[in-house]
Amino acid sequence: MNLKNRNFITLLDFTPEEINHLINLSARLKKEKQEGKSHKHLSDKNVVLLFQKDSTRTRCAFEVGALDLGMGVTYLGPNGSQMNKKESVKDTARVLGRMYDGIEFRGYKQADVEALGEHAGVPVWNGLTDVYHPTQILADFLTIKEVFGHLKGIRFTYVGDSRNNMGNSLMIGAAKLGLHFTGVAPKELWPESSLINKCLEISKETGATITFTDDKMLGTKDVDVIYTDVWVSMGEPKEVWNSRLELLSPYQVDMEMMKNANEKAIFMHCLPAFHGIDTEVGTQIASEYGTLYPKVSKGELEVTDEVIESAQSVVFQEAENRMHTIKAVMLATLSDSYE
Ligand code: CP
Ligand code: NVA
């Protein structure tokens, strides 16, 4: 398996074998790290991280992953570079590609990460756009594999905004690796039919199934994984909270929903999660909308505090796995001699 010089922009570009290779490489790098075994395979290389949106996990995963591999790292934040303001993405790509061995991009438009990938001449990694979040799926699937020992045949339900970057990417990942994916949301929040159709095509080869329902008890019955994400994503205007709360507050993941799943079911979330009044946004939504939607009056939005703090929740194992999987993506695309 050789992924050297490949971009990592969407899982649609990768075969099931390639995705499984990255997950297995991540598990190996995680074990090596736990055993204190150094893996500085890329000590003469440098990477740059371009962030137009905020991040805790993705930024830190790229930084620690790169440092563990022996690389130098430059972080350019939302206000740190000329990109978009005085310089096009295409020019930025051609400049950075001459200085760095790899480029990470987190931003708004999928077209921007694609333009970087087309013009940089070095591997470009998608650290989240409005449409996709592919590195997150590797961490999620490594976590599921650690818990259940396999991915094929896992009954996986995503509850919430099913047409955001997470809903789209989890559906693609499930189609590629043969999971049984159910999206639970009101119809207005299902993915574009062209993407669903693409995933149904892929599923014919892999044994995956893809279904959508607005019935939360039907969609979570006896499943192995219940996954959710925020109701309003980065970059969306705050005016959408009103309609999103109306659509999604009935779909808050609570203990009743967890009990409807398989008794060994796990709860997953890409994080950050609103599960109490200990964030500015959680407090603000609770005070503004708590009377209209009593479920959110304690700042618990997409998931209750009880669920995220329960023994079924694997969210912090999942967050740690961001680092091991992102490290694997950088290693596999920058080197072909790490075996
Ligand atoms: N899950 C995730 O991408 O988290 P950050 O926004 O903190 O990077
Ligand atoms: N859908 C979320 C994912 C955050 C990791 C967002 O885009 O804000």
Side-chain angles (χ1 to χ4, degrees):
M1 182 70 60
N2 188 343
L3 301 179
K4 193 173 176 198
N5 295 329
R6 292 273 298 275
N7 294 325
F8 191 80
I9 285 179
T10 163
L11 290 177
L12 287 169
D13 297 338
F14 288 80
T15 65
E17 293 71 28
E18 289 169 341
I19 300 169
N20 275 319
H21 171 73
L22 288 170
I23 293 170
N24 293 338
L25 178 60
S26 311
R28 189 185 105 193
L29 292 169
K30 181 172 183 176
K31 188 160 176 279
E32 286 180 6
K33 173 118 178 164
Q34 284 167 345
E35 289 168 353
K37 206 169 144 196
S38 158
H39 36 231
K40 296 201 185 311
H41 303 296
L42 302 173
S43 55
D44 53 352
K45 298 199 185 291
N46 296 289
V47 294
V48 61
L49 315 180
L50 286 176
F51 280 80
Q52 295 178 330
K53 292 176 177 170
D54 292 339
S55 168
T56 297
R57 278 144 291 272
T58 309
R59 174 183 175 177
C60 296
F62 270 100
E63 291 213 14
V64 175
L67 293 169
D68 280 0
L69 291 170
M71 294 195 281
V73 187
T74 304
Y75 170 78
L76 294 178
N79 299 311
S81 79
Q82 309 279 21
M83 191 170 77
N84 285 131
K85 284 157 266 168
K86 290 169 69 180
E87 194 158 36
S88 67
V89 174
K90 187 173 169 182
D91 287 359
T92 307
R94 290 180 290 178
V95 172
L96 296 179
R98 284 167 179 263
M99 296 189 194
Y100 291 94
D101 300 287
I103 301 172
E104 183 273 358
F105 174 83
R106 164 171 287 200
Y108 299 88
K109 296 186 201 141
Q110 184 67 14
D112 281 349
V113 73
E114 282 165 8
L116 279 171
E118 192 180 334
H119 299 289
V122 297
V124 169
W125 309 298
N126 181 357
L128 179 147
T129 63
D130 292 345
V131 187
Y132 296 127
H133 194 10
T135 63
Q136 178 72 49
I137 309 318
L138 296 180
D140 298 340
F141 284 14
L142 172 63
T143 309
I144 294 172
K145 207 168 170 187
E146 287 172 340
V147 174
F148 293 103
H150 64 102
L151 288 164
K152 233 182 184 17
I154 289 289
R155 289 158 299 177
F156 182 103
T157 290
Y158 177 86
V159 183
D161 184 2
S162 300
R163 30 109 267 179
N164 73 9
N165 40 24
M166 284 310 307
N168 288 342
S169 301
L170 284 164
M171 175 173 66
I172 298 167
K176 290 270 180 183
L177 296 193
L179 286 77
H180 299 300
F181 178 91
T182 303
V184 174
K187 283 195 178 60
E188 294 92 322
L189 298 176
W190 293 3
E192 281 180 14
S193 53
S194 57
L195 185 61
I196 298 179
N197 289 337
K198 218 175 262 181
C199 289
L200 288 171
E201 265 315 295
I202 298 166
S203 301
K204 285 184 194 158
E205 305 288 315
T206 63
T209 54
I210 309 284
T211 13
F212 286 89
T213 175
D214 57 8
D215 182 334
K216 65 179 177 183
M217 291 324 242
L218 184 71
T220 54
K221 183 86 193 132
D222 295 333
V223 298
D224 303 309
V225 180
I226 293 184
Y227 197 117
T228 192
D229 182 19
V230 290
W231 290 339
V232 175
S233 285
M234 288 183 280
E236 293 195 287
K238 66 177 189 343
E239 289 69 38
V240 303
W241 273 107
N242 207 356
S243 64
R244 219 50 74 67
L245 282 160
E246 190 183 339
L247 287 170
L248 287 175
S249 57
Y251 293 87
Q252 181 186 65
V253 178
D254 56 14
M255 271 317 206
E256 191 195 348
M257 199 188 274
M258 289 307 297
K259 286 195 183 110
N260 188 44
N262 175 354
E263 60 176 339
K264 296 220 169 81
I266 55 173
F267 171 74
M268 302 184 77
H269 191 309
C270 54
L271 303 181
F274 293 112
H275 58 100
I277 306 183
D278 42 15
T279 63
E280 282 170 30
V281 176
T283 306
Q284 193 196 326
I285 297 301
S287 72
E288 216 170 303
Y289 295 97
T291 316
L292 199 54
Y293 304 104
K295 277 188 174 204
V296 306
S297 61
K298 289 188 282 168
E300 298 166 308
L301 306 187
E302 70 273 11
V303 58
T304 64
D305 195 53
E306 192 182 8
V307 168
I308 213 163
E309 296 294 352
S310 74
Q312 285 169 284
S313 167
V314 296
V315 296
F316 297 109
Q317 179 179 343
E318 187 184 355
E320 178 193 328
N321 284 341
R322 297 299 308 290
M323 198 278 287
H324 306 298
T325 44
I326 280 173
K327 191 192 287 180
V329 169
M330 288 191 286
L331 180 56
T333 53
L334 292 178
S335 165
D336 53 11
S337 57
Y338 50 84
E339 294 300 341

